Amino acid sequence: MRALLHYARVWLAFARFGLMRELSFRGNFLIKVSVEILWLAILLIFYDMVFTHTRVVAEWSRDEYLFFVGCYYALGGVIETFFLINCSEFSELVRTGDLDFYLLLPANEQFLITTRDLDWATLPNIFLGAGVSIVALVRLGWPVELGRLLLFLILFGCGVALAYSFLVILTAASVWLVRNQSLYEVWWLFTTFMRYPREIFTGRWAYPIGWFFSFVVPVIIVTNVPARMMVKALEPELAVYTVLASVVLVAISGKIFRLSLQHYRSASS
Amino acid sequence: MKPTLSSLPFEQADCSDDSGSVWPRASFLLEAGKYGRILRIALVERLAYRLDFILSTLLRFLPMLTTILLWLAVYAGAGRLSEGELGGFSLNEMISYLLLVHISRMFSSMPGLAQGIARDIRDGNLKKYLLQPISLLPYLLAYRAAHKVAYITMTAVPYAVLFFLCRDFFAGWPSAPVLLAYAVSLVLGFLVGFFFEAALGMLGFWFLEVSSFLYVVGTLNFFLSGHMFPFDLLPATFAHILKNLPFQYLAYFPAAIFLNKVPQDMLFSALATEAAWAIALALLAGWLYRCGLRRYSAYGG
């Protein structure tokens, strides 16, 4: 418990330092925030354009799909705000040998490397995504029950844990790939499976792919399970699988990260 | 993030001083040899990180897959899976379009170019172009061309497999003149993309930090180039505006040529307009470079 408190204090210090740095360049910070809003606007234009041509996409109605978009955007915001900026710098730490400094500090390496900074500019994404989801729920006339909301928050947390684990595994790959400098791009490409409803994976060749990326590499379920549970129906087996998968994957990604550190050869010494 | 240009080794040629000039003036053969060597070195550099390259190439196919499946679901939802059109595009044409824009972007995307120029200006590394017998824009053009050659060569096989698997979505090969026009539009798309990004990078002479601005442009570009979907799906007024901007040459225009969406009798004039944009952007980038050099103070470095 004391260790947890210690890490919480360290993390708060990181967050405070990051905020001070961001506010030193306020203009830049505001532009970064406006880019995120612009991207959400483009997503919503695309969404609106699609639904001017059809009333349903893969069993998702206009408002249900809007909730899905909001849910994905909020989840992406959590990953970008708390972890992505740190993980994207890992390959450079490996390449230059600067990783030595973090390995010598008296703290958990994975904690230091994946959480040492906060991308404050993407923090509004979480609220924007939540806002879009709430608009969708209002339009659906949804009576938000407490139990359903709690279950949604648990599954959303599992989705974050799954996404974080995949990010850690991709980050760890930097040690073997030497130059994995395009982690932002790799991450964006990988998360393409989180952006769409699982039901689009239908048909002779698409179904096995959807199954593989739901149950073997469980990336599709990251957004699908919480969003579906909230606006469509709860699938208990899938919900239990999501919880178990998140626990297992967090453990596996931690092991892979440690393994990658064991293969690290300091470039500077 | 791409490697910094300053980190690249290159042989120093012993030709005459043309520092400060935008384009080489000395003997053409000597200049061609020099930039040919840059092309070769950049190729070797690109191939040095094979695993990273293969991983990102494989992952690049994932959005194509999900986009195709999404549009299949959209057409199914609209009841136009087997016949009918959305915005003048049948399902097969839409899937073909979404595949073809990746070929367009393969030529026209310039990741890190503007950022690299702005960084060289800010860090003072730009002065190497002023001290050495090498010019900024031709050097970067040769460097980018090498990256494109390496990328296109290494992804030719996976793309060929992908297009073979998706061959049923295509109505067949277009006629020879259309195919030729398509090839020309891709090369011109490369030039439009290069000079547009280079001109953006030159803003580094006037502004200390341009990365956020570049991020805004990049985000808009994804939409304005037609990368997400063909403009024809938008209301007519918006579609008309977007078809008159140079961004369309980065993704939409080559794909539209391939799919016979540009009437054959208008091909020449359409390509001439694209070439005019490429020339205009090249002149703009060169002009900005010359103007910028007048205020350049070579800090740091």
Side-chain angles (χ1 to χ4, degrees):
Chain A
M1 190 63 193
R2 187 186 287 177
L4 265 179
L5 277 174
H6 171 68
Y7 277 109
R9 272 200 301 273
V10 172
W11 183 82
L12 279 174
F14 287 154
R16 203 166 45 241
F17 177 70
L19 183 62
M20 279 162 59
R21 200 189 49 225
E22 285 285 8
L23 293 180
S24 308
F25 304 98
R26 281 183 285 274
N28 192 53
F29 176 72
L30 287 175
I31 293 175
K32 277 162 74 179
V33 171
S34 57
V35 169
E36 299 299 331
I37 295 171
L38 181 69
W39 179 238
L40 179 62
I42 290 174
L43 276 185
L44 292 177
I45 289 171
F46 178 72
Y47 152 85
D48 192 59
M49 183 275 299
V50 163
F51 279 98
T52 53
H53 294 286
T54 181
R55 285 173 48 224
V56 64
V57 172
E59 302 171 24
W60 290 69
S61 71
R62 177 183 271 263
D63 295 328
E64 288 170 348
Y65 201 105
L66 185 64
F67 182 84
F68 185 95
V69 171
C71 191
Y72 162 72
Y73 205 74
L75 196 141
V78 172
I79 296 295
E80 283 181 51
T81 304
F82 298 105
F83 311 115
L84 188 56
I85 188 172
N86 302 305
C87 293
S88 69
E89 286 167 9
F90 184 64
S91 64
E92 198 59 12
L93 295 178
V94 170
R95 201 179 64 80
T96 56
D98 288 346
L99 186 60
D100 299 4
F101 300 116
Y102 293 95
L103 298 182
L104 292 172
L105 292 174
N108 180 282
E109 302 86 3
Q110 188 175 336
F111 167 79
L112 275 179
I113 289 161
T114 61
T115 65
R116 69 186 184 283
D117 200 0
L118 242 84
D119 191 352
W120 287 93
T122 54
L123 185 67
N125 289 8
I126 302 170
F127 302 106
L128 287 170
V132 169
S133 300
I134 290 168
V135 168
L137 285 175
V138 170
R139 280 162 59 163
L140 282 163
W142 197 262
V144 182
E145 309 143 23
L146 187 64
R148 186 177 284 265
L149 184 65
L150 280 176
L151 198 52
F152 168 77
L153 290 175
I154 290 168
L155 290 174
F156 186 86
C158 291
V160 170
L162 282 170
Y164 170 75
S165 305
F166 286 123
L167 184 63
V168 168
I169 292 169
L170 286 172
T171 304
S174 303
V175 171
W176 292 288
L177 296 178
V178 183
R179 187 180 72 164
N180 185 8
Q181 294 183 49
S182 52
L183 189 71
Y184 268 101
E185 190 191 355
V186 168
W187 179 245
W188 191 83
L189 294 170
F190 184 74
T191 54
T192 189
F193 283 119
M194 299 178 193
R195 282 194 285 271
Y196 303 107
R198 192 160 59 98
E199 289 78 3
I200 66 169
F201 292 88
T202 52
R204 196 158 41 92
W205 55 269
Y207 183 79
I209 296 173
W211 189 89
F212 181 83
F213 284 103
S214 293
F215 299 107
V216 182
V217 181
V219 57
I220 290 179
I221 61 176
V222 166
T223 320
N224 268 275
V225 173
R228 190 175 170 80
M229 192 283 298
M230 195 68 177
V231 293
K232 291 175 91 68
L234 171 67
E235 295 166 291
E237 299 87 355
L238 205 55
V240 171
Y241 179 77
T242 304
V243 175
L244 290 176
S246 61
V247 172
V248 171
L249 212 65
V250 165
I252 290 175
S253 63
K255 294 261 183 222
I256 292 176
F257 192 78
R258 286 206 71 78
L259 190 67
S260 75
L261 291 182
Q262 284 164 14
H263 282 79
Y264 167 66
R265 299 280 177 270
S266 174
S268 61
S269 54
Chain B
M1 231 187 296
K2 295 284 166 192
T4 57
L5 297 168
S6 52
S7 67
L8 284 175
F10 62 86
E11 296 172 58
Q12 199 168 324
D14 56 349
C15 54
S16 61
D17 178 22
D18 65 347
S19 57
S21 71
V22 176
W23 295 102
R25 290 192 302 266
S27 150
F28 175 75
L29 279 178
L30 200 63
E31 291 295 331
K34 181 165 67 181
Y35 292 103
R37 278 199 291 279
I38 291 167
L39 193 128
R40 188 175 59 78
I41 292 162
L43 260 174
V44 172
E45 190 259 352
R46 179 83 197 183
L47 297 175
Y49 301 98
R50 284 179 292 274
L51 263 178
D52 188 34
F53 181 75
I54 290 166
L55 177 71
S56 53
T57 302
L58 286 175
L59 285 172
R60 216 159 268 152
F61 287 106
L62 299 183
M64 287 192 210
L65 172 74
T66 48
T67 312
I68 289 172
L69 292 173
L70 176 72
W71 281 101
L72 280 168
V74 171
Y75 274 77
R80 296 178 189 178
L81 205 52
S82 50
E83 56 181 34
E85 295 177 339
L86 294 181
F89 278 70
S90 67
L91 172 65
N92 283 355
E93 284 177 332
M94 180 62 74
I95 306 288
S96 307
Y97 175 86
L98 294 167
L99 291 168
L100 287 166
V101 286
H102 285 274
I103 303 293
S104 307
R105 293 301 287 157
M106 197 191 276
F107 280 81
S108 66
S109 70
M110 302 287 154
L113 174 61
Q115 195 98 36
I117 294 174
R119 190 175 49 238
D120 277 355
I121 295 168
R122 192 180 58 233
D123 297 348
N125 286 329
L126 192 78
K127 58 178 172 281
K128 71 172 180 247
Y129 298 106
L130 307 176
L131 298 172
Q132 294 172 358
I134 197 160
S135 302
L136 174 77
L137 284 173
Y139 168 76
L140 291 178
L141 191 62
Y143 180 79
R144 283 284 152 177
H147 273 235
K148 291 295 172 194
V149 168
Y151 181 71
I152 292 166
T153 307
M154 288 187 72
T155 54
V157 173
Y159 268 99
V161 171
L162 178 78
F163 276 75
F164 178 76
L165 291 174
C166 298
R167 64 191 181 283
D168 289 343
F169 292 118
F170 289 86
W173 286 97
S175 63
V178 172
L179 213 52
L180 179 67
Y182 177 63
V184 173
S185 72
L186 288 175
V187 175
L188 288 173
F190 166 74
L191 293 173
V192 169
F194 175 82
F195 288 115
F196 175 68
E197 285 281 330
L200 283 178
M202 299 302 170
L203 294 178
F205 282 115
W206 288 270
F207 302 98
L208 190 63
E209 180 55 59
V210 294
S211 59
S212 298
F213 174 73
L214 296 178
Y215 199 32
V216 174
V217 175
T219 306
L220 276 174
N221 204 348
F222 191 65
F223 175 68
L224 298 176
S225 65
H227 192 148
M228 287 181 87
F229 56 87
F231 303 138
D232 309 74
L233 288 169
L234 291 168
T237 315
F238 291 115
H240 181 72
I241 293 169
L242 294 179
K243 284 181 185 179
N244 282 289
L245 294 177
F247 302 106
Q248 64 151 330
Y249 300 114
L250 306 177
Y252 174 83
F253 183 66
I257 288 183
F258 193 95
L259 294 172
N260 289 310
K261 297 289 177 190
V262 180
Q264 283 215 26
D265 57 338
M266 289 177 69
L267 274 179
F268 185 78
S269 62
L271 286 173
T273 310
E274 187 180 11
W277 272 112
I279 293 167
L281 288 167
L283 292 172
L284 177 69
W287 180 71
L288 287 172
Y289 181 53
R290 281 192 300 275
C291 291
L293 281 182
R294 282 190 215 120
R295 16 177 324 122
Y296 181 58
S297 307
Y299 300 116

